[in-house]
Amino acid sequence: MLSGCAGLASEGSGHTALPTQTGHGDTYFAADPGRHDVTLQAGDPAYANLVWTHTGAETAAAHHLQMSPTGGNAHSTVAFEQHGGGQR
């Protein structure tokens, strides 16, 4: 069972940690259902909606997203796809 929200962090091209601020709430395309328990059976999928922005003159381009389930230090890292010559 998972309880709460997953941890998220951005990484640069060399898997270096980037300053990341996360928040919880509604987005322009999905309402936040709030914290609730989720019980998964082996092989069941789970999903979350993510929205992010890059702001400020010193913003570094994120190349990877690090995700960790609540209550643990283990994490998975996925690469952002390249779109039109720039990383998103």
Side-chain angles (χ1 to χ4, degrees), residues 43-65:
D44 283 352
Y47 69 93
N49 292 306
L50 304 174
V51 176
W52 65 91
T53 61
H54 299 278
T55 59
E58 297 179 12
T59 300
H63 293 256
H64 303 91
L65 177 66

Side-chain angles (χ1 to χ4, degrees), residues 19-49:
T20 305
Q21 292 181 337
T22 59
H24 306 278
D26 296 339
T27 68
Y28 65 91
F29 62 85
D32 182 357
R35 291 179 177 247
H36 60 281
D37 291 342
V38 175
T39 301
L40 301 174
Q41 301 300 318
D44 283 352
Y47 69 93
N49 292 306

Side-chain angles (χ1 to χ4, degrees), residues 2-13:
L2 300 175
S3 180
C5 298
L8 301 171
S10 299
E11 296 181 353
S13 60

